[in-house]
Amino acid sequence: MEELVIRDADVVDGSGDSAYRADVVVDSGRVVSIVKEAAAAGCQRPKARRELDAEGLVLSPGFIDMHAHSDLALLRDPDHSAKAAQGVTLEVLGQDGLSYAPVDDRTLGEVRRAIAGWNGGGDDIDFGWRSVGEYLDRLDGGIAVNAAYLIPQGTVRALAVGWEDRDATPAELDRMRQLVAEGMEQGAVGMSSGLTYPPGMYARDAELTELCRVVAHYGGYYCPHHRSYGTGALRAYEEMVTLTREAGCPLHLAHATMNFGVNEGRAPELLALLDDALAAGADISLDTYPYTPGATTLVAVLPSWAGEGGPEEILRRLADDATAERIRHHLEVTGSNGCHGVPVEWDTIEISGVGDPALTEYVGRTVRESAALRGEIPWAVARELLLKDRLAPSILQHVGHEENVREIMRHRVHTGGSDGILQGAKPHPRAYGAFPQYLGRYVRELGVLSLEECVAHLTSRPAARLRLADRGLVREGHRADLVLFDPGTVAAGSTFERPRTLPTGIPYVLVDGRFVIEDGRRTDVLAGRAVRRSPR
C-alpha cells in the first residue's frame, strides 16, 4: 500500500491550467497517481497508509526560490523555517558572483569577509570543502529543502586573478574557464555574476562571454546581477542580452528590478527590450521579489576602485582620511558605480544588521537618522560603521517603485526569487515572506496575477530554467515536492518591523514526499539534498 493519499485537494498543478479537484497519491518520494474528481465520480478511491483531508486547500508543486542567499544558513540552521514555512522546496544558491566554492584557503577567507553581511562570518561553520562538488556533497548530508548551485564568477576571478581591476591574462582566463568547467561537471546549474561587486565587476564583456561559452557547453545558464540597476539600468540589461546571445548561453536576469528615481515608471521599456530579444530567438528568463525596497551590504555601495585588492584594502582606504574623502565624493556627488551610478541618498539606506553586537544601536535606522542623533554627517557614520564592523553591516535600500514591480511580475518569462538575506537583526521581510506575499497580496488582494498564473511563475517556469524534468508540476512520476495552502488566508507574516514572523495559511509542505511542515509546524525532517545539473 502506498504511503500517502491527499484527498479532495484543489490541484493547481503548475502548468497555468485551471485548477481541478483530485486525490493525489504519494509513495517513495514521487507522485504515483492522480485521480481527478474522485468523490464526484463515485469511483473507487485510492487508499494509502496515511490519508490527509485537503478539503479547502490548494495543492501545488513546491516553490522554487530562484535567487537565495542561504549558502551557509542551510548548514547553520537545520530548521530553516524561513524558507520551508513559505512552501519553498528548492533554493538556487551561489548568487551575485560571490559564494564559497570553488576556493583555496586565501580566497575563502577573502570571500567570507566580503559577504559577511549576506551570510555572517561563518565562524560557526566547518568549511571543510574547497570545490563545488565538495560543497554539494556537504549539502547532501541532509538539509531542510533542496538546493542547486551557481558557480560564482567573482569568486572564480578572485581565485584565478585576485581582486585587481585589470584584464585577465590569457593564462588566467584559461584557469577561469577550467574552474567553471570543473564546477559544471561537478553539478552546478550555471554561473552567476555580481557586476557591481568586486572582484567580479572588474571583468570586461569579452571575459564574461568566454566563461558563458563554457557554461553553455554544459547546458547551464548565466545569472548576472548586472552593472547597474540605476542610471544605466537599460544599458546594463541590453549588455547582458547581447553578451549571452554571442556566447550562445541562456540568460536569467537576477532580481530584475528598475529602481531609483531615474527609473520610475520605466518597466515597460525593459520589457520591450526583452520582448524584442525573445522574438529574435534569445533564451531569457528573470526573477523578482514582490517588494519595493532592496537589500545588500553597506560596503557594496562603495565605488569599484575602493574595492580593488580585496577586503583588507577596502579597510585600509577607509582608514585613510584623504582616501575616505575621495570615496565620499564618489558616493555623494559623482554617483558611485557601487550605488548604480546614482548619488547616494542616505535617508534611503537603513542598517538592517551588524556583525558586532556593540553596534546594534544603528540597526533599524537610516544612516541619516543615526547621523542626526550623533550630530555628524552621514558619511562619517557610514565610514565608522564599516571600519568598526569590518565591512559586515547589511542594509535595506528604499529605492523601488510599486508600478515597476507589478509590471515586471506579469511578464511571461518571470519567476519568483526572494533574494532573501537571513543575516542581521532586521533583515528584509522578503527572506521570510516572498512566496506567500505573491499569493496573498498580489493574487488574492490585488489580482495582479491569477492563482494559476502565479503558481506557474513559482514552480514550472523555474524548473524549466533549471532543466529539471521531474519537478515543477504535479504530475504522475514527478518528485513529491508539494505545498498545501489555503488560498483565502495565505499571507506573509513578515513585515519591516517584524521581519522574522512566519507566514500563515501554509499548513503542509513536503520535500521528497516527506513532511517538513505539518499542521503548520516544522518537523525534524531533513529531506533536502543538492540538486545537480542534469546531463545534456
Side-chain angles (χ1 to χ4, degrees), residues 13 159 188 216 222 231 235 260 268 293-294 299 303 394 399 507-508 529 536:
D13 66 6
L159 186 54
Y222 181 44
T231 302
R235 290 193 303 275
F260 302 93
V299 68
S394 52
V399 293
Y508 300 99
R529 298 294 184 269
R536 293 198 70 172

Side-chain angles (χ1 to χ4, degrees), residues 131-141 147-149 186-188 530 532:
S131 70
V132 169
E134 289 168 345
Y135 175 68
L136 297 179
D137 289 344
R138 178 72 175 275
L139 297 178
D140 277 339
Y149 190 73
Q186 292 164 10
R532 290 167 170 81

Side-chain angles (χ1 to χ4, degrees), residues 158-355:
L159 186 54
V161 180
W163 296 70
E164 292 76 35
D165 184 0
R166 63 173 175 81
D167 291 341
T169 67
E172 289 166 341
L173 182 56
D174 284 344
R175 175 65 173 142
M176 286 189 282
R177 286 195 196 98
Q178 178 186 1
L179 290 166
V180 172
E182 289 172 355
M184 295 299 296
E185 289 169 356
Q186 292 164 10
V189 296
M191 181 180 76
S192 75
S193 283
L195 300 179
T196 64
Y197 303 132
M201 68 193 308
Y202 303 140
R204 313 306 189 253
D205 285 2
E207 178 181 313
L208 296 171
T209 300
E210 288 303 307
L211 299 183
C212 283
R213 292 188 201 279
V214 178
V215 172
H217 174 76
Y218 286 96
Y221 68 93
Y222 181 44
C223 180
H225 165 127
H226 50 276
R227 297 192 193 276
S228 176
Y229 290 82
T231 302
L234 287 174
R235 290 193 303 275
Y237 281 116
E238 186 172 12
E239 175 192 10
M240 296 298 101
V241 170
T242 301
L243 184 156
T244 49
R245 286 296 300 276
E246 182 177 345
C249 186
L251 172 64
H252 181 84
L253 295 165
H255 38 57
T257 58
M258 291 288 286
N259 285 340
F260 302 93
V262 294
N263 290 318
E264 186 171 2
R266 298 187 71 187
E269 296 176 59
L270 166 62
L271 300 181
L273 168 66
L274 299 183
D275 284 338
D276 287 346
L278 288 163
D283 183 355
I284 301 173
S285 55
L286 58 86
D287 67 67
T288 67
Y289 46 84
Y291 297 86
T292 50
T296 185
T297 56
L298 183 58
V299 68
V301 305
L302 302 187
S304 58
W305 60 263
E308 188 174 3
E312 292 303 319
E313 284 300 299
I314 297 174
L315 291 167
R316 184 188 64 78
R317 292 183 180 105
L318 286 167
D320 179 76
D321 289 343
T323 309
E325 174 58 23
R326 284 184 60 209
I327 294 172
R328 184 205 64 79
H329 183 82
H330 274 257
L331 280 170
E332 297 182 350
V333 180
T334 305
S336 160
N337 52 359
C339 198
H340 307 280
V342 177
V344 69
E345 297 174 329
W346 293 114
D347 55 350
T348 69
I349 294 182
E350 177 185 351
I351 304 301
S352 59
V354 292

Side-chain angles (χ1 to χ4, degrees), residues 5 9 57 77 95 112 128 197 214 223 232 363 370 379 448 472 474:
V5 59
L57 298 178
D77 175 22
Q95 299 287 349
R112 286 176 62 182
Y197 303 132
V214 178
C223 180
V363 174
S370 288
W379 167 240
V448 175
V474 180

Side-chain angles (χ1 to χ4, degrees), residues 42 148 166 168 179 196 220 287 366 409 448 470 502 515 523:
R166 63 173 175 81
L179 290 166
T196 64
D287 67 67
T366 68
M409 76 168 61
V448 175
D470 62 352
L502 296 179
F515 286 96
T523 71

Side-chain angles (χ1 to χ4, degrees), residues 113 116 311-312 315 359 384-393:
R113 288 193 295 276
E312 292 303 319
L315 291 167
L359 301 170
E384 180 182 21
L385 258 177
L386 288 167
L387 284 169
K388 285 187 174 180
D389 209 27
R390 295 188 61 79
L391 313 182

Side-chain angles (χ1 to χ4, degrees), residues 10 12 54-59 436-446 451 455 484-492 503-507:
D10 293 321
V12 177
E55 180 71 37
L57 298 178
V58 166
L59 175 67
Q437 178 82 341
Y438 269 116
L439 297 168
R441 177 165 171 76
Y442 287 95
V443 172
R444 185 180 63 246
E445 296 176 9
L446 299 177
L451 179 60
V455 169
L484 281 155
F485 63 89
D486 182 344
T489 63
V490 61
T504 58
I506 306 178

